[in-house]
Amino acid sequence: MAAQTHQPWPAPVVTAVAGVLGDTEQGLTGREIVQLLAAVRVAEVEGGNKRDRLAGALLSQQARQQASNCVIALINAAMAPVRYAQQPHVFSRPQDDLNEVLVHVGLRVNDEGKLARGPAATTLTEAARHASSLRAELRRRATHPEVLRYCTLEILAKNAFHAALEAVKSVADRLQQLTGEHLDGARLVDAVLMPGRGTARVAINANVTGPDLDEQKGLANLVKGLFSMYRNPAAHEPGFTARSPKRSCWSC
């Protein structure tokens, strides 16, 4: 029995899929992409980096076949749960990122790693909402990347409380990085954020006028409040892991 032929996807959708799967730091390695392309019988093409080459290979095959079957097959192969057996928490990140893209063609990656029908969206706001991803919503709200860097694992686990905890812990770590200070909690805030004699070491304004100083003190007190609610100074260090080194060839 012949396989069903699916209509071609818009080029921007295919390119965005390649961007997720070929992401330099979080996506597939160059070797994995070569192996997956071979497995789904898609010919490689030349290109500047692995995302461009993956997009070019998929778009060329889709144009030849006048069908999106090759893109569907690659996603199913890349998202097979067995590939993430040793790191199950890693599965959620490409799943969420792909779902933000696939919602534009009315599809989604389910928890079995297979493409399934889903809600369709025409705007970025709708896409973020239908993707059901906290990280998608944070990105839509232009959350500072330093916050996302610290709470990635908690967001992937869809644990909002621990994501907030890690985000607050990241504030202390960031203040320490910016100033070289080794204090913690309220003492750290007093040392680097609270205006005293002169400008605060981490200032959000000129710290000259009365309103300036009130604004600076307000931020310092807000951070103190966050630390009081969430931050235990004796807790473990911020839970992020170092990025793996870049690879050559298909690695960027």
Side-chain angles (χ1 to χ4, degrees):
M1 180 177 178
Q4 180 181 357
T5 299
H6 299 277
Q7 290 294 319
W9 292 356
V13 172
V14 177
T15 300
V17 166
V20 172
L21 296 179
D23 181 78
T24 301
E25 297 182 340
Q26 303 293 337
L28 301 167
T29 66
R31 178 177 296 180
E32 288 172 329
I33 290 175
V34 170
Q35 292 172 343
L36 287 172
L37 287 176
V40 298
R41 299 181 180 181
V42 174
E44 296 181 50
V45 300
E46 296 296 325
N49 56 54
K50 66 179 181 179
R51 298 181 300 280
D52 292 343
R53 294 198 291 276
L54 180 56
L58 293 173
L59 287 170
S60 295
Q61 183 81 342
Q62 179 174 259
R64 284 192 295 270
Q65 296 180 336
Q66 285 300 295
S68 60
N69 292 45
C70 61
V71 190
I72 294 171
L74 184 76
I75 293 173
N76 286 337
M79 295 304 298
V82 68
R83 296 177 57 85
Y84 304 90
Q86 301 302 314
Q87 293 180 298
H89 62 277
V90 176
F91 174 85
S92 295
R93 178 158 191 156
Q95 180 189 32
D96 286 345
D97 288 348
L98 285 170
N99 284 345
E100 284 186 68
V101 175
L102 296 173
V103 71
H104 293 283
V105 288
L107 296 171
R108 64 184 178 87
V109 176
N110 62 25
D111 290 339
E112 297 177 353
K114 299 291 186 181
L115 280 186
R117 291 292 175 188
T122 57
T123 68
L124 294 177
T125 299
E126 288 178 346
R129 183 173 69 249
H130 291 318
S132 300
S133 163
L134 175 58
R135 191 161 58 84
E137 181 61 18
L138 289 175
R139 284 210 309 267
R140 187 182 72 81
R141 291 170 181 259
T143 299
H144 196 287
E146 283 296 322
V147 175
L148 295 178
R149 184 168 70 92
Y150 283 93
C151 56
T152 296
L153 292 180
E154 283 66 28
I155 289 176
L156 293 183
K158 297 180 174 63
N159 188 325
F161 174 80
H162 284 98
L165 176 62
E166 285 296 315
V168 172
K169 286 162 60 180
S170 77
V171 175
D173 187 71
R174 186 64 173 165
L175 290 174
Q176 291 165 346
Q177 287 183 8
L178 289 172
T179 62
E181 192 60 75
H182 297 292
L183 298 172
D184 207 340
R187 291 193 302 159
L188 175 64
V189 174
D190 285 339
V192 305
L193 274 181
M194 190 67 75
R197 294 180 180 178
T199 304
R201 291 167 66 183
V202 179
I204 59 173
N205 55 44
N207 278 201
V208 174
T209 66
D212 282 353
L213 294 172
D214 287 343
E215 185 178 45
Q216 183 74 36
K217 291 176 183 176
L219 174 64
N221 287 325
L222 175 61
V223 174
K224 278 188 179 181
L226 287 173
F227 285 174
S228 178
M229 178 172 289
Y230 288 103
R231 177 80 166 114
N232 174 5
H236 61 281
E237 291 305 309
F240 68 96
T241 56
R243 307 296 190 192
S244 57
K246 293 183 178 181
R247 300 176 177 84
S248 57
C249 189
W250 276 80
S251 65
C252 60

